[in-house]
């Protein structure tokens, strides 16, 4: 189990990770169950921002419960991941941008276009007309 899986679950709809169970559902004896417990917490703390996980040992299997996070998106070692099917997939630049918009983390109306120059791109008359029409500021 690595931090990218934690990020993928937290950035998606959440999920459970079972350490000590093979892909075909058979239990695999853990030589030291405390080691994965510690590793999971370490990986969760090293995500940016850190991820809160519930970890417990049940009948020799480490159960990790990762909830869909309110603080998304999370990254691990500078990379962002999403859960797609049974895998944690690294997000592309386009996917990251779409993710920010989809989650409501970027608001187009609060972003200033880098090429905008208020001294040359808008006149006082146009601004005054806009304010009057929108009733944005009373008293004009």
């Amino acid at each position: 189990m690595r931090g990218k899986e934690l990020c993928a679950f937290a950035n998606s709809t959440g999920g459970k990770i079972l350490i000590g169970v093979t892909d075909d559902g058979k239990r695999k004896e853990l030589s030291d169950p405390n080691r994965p417990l510690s590793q999971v917490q370490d990986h969760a703390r090293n995500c940016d921002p850190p991820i809160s996980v519930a970890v417990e040992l049940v009948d020799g299997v480490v159960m990790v419960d990762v909830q869909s996070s309110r603080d998304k998106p999370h990254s691990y070692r500078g990379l962002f991941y999403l859960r797609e099917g049974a895998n944690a997939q690294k997000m592309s630049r386009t996917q990251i941008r779409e993710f920010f918009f989809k989650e409501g983390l970027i608001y187009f109306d609060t972003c200033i276009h880098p090429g905008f120059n208020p001294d040359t791109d808008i006149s006082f008359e146009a601004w005054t007309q806009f304010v009057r029409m929108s009733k944005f500021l009373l008293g004009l």
Side-chain angles (χ1 to χ4, degrees), residues 1-7 9 15-20 30 32-47 50-57 61-67 76:
M1 204 278 318
R2 298 177 301 253
K4 72 179 194 176
E5 283 85 9
L6 296 176
C7 283
F9 276 116
K16 295 191 185 322
I17 301 170
L18 302 176
I19 302 171
L30 297 173
D32 179 12
N34 287 326
R35 186 168 185 226
L37 287 167
S38 175
Q39 287 175 332
V40 167
Q41 292 295 349
D42 187 50
H43 287 307
R45 280 190 301 274
N46 284 306
C47 291
I51 296 172
S52 177
V53 295
V55 185
E56 61 181 308
L57 184 62
V61 174
V62 175
M63 269 187 19
V64 183
D65 186 15
V66 184
Q67 298 294 313
Y76 185 71

Side-chain angles (χ1 to χ4, degrees), residues 1 13 25 28 38 41 55-56 59-60 65-66 78 81 83 96 105 108 134:
M1 204 278 318
T13 58
K28 179 180 175 184
S38 175
Q41 292 295 349
V55 185
E56 61 181 308
D59 294 327
D65 186 15
V66 184
Y81 298 92
R83 188 76 179 171
I96 293 169
L105 300 170
F108 77 92
S134 67

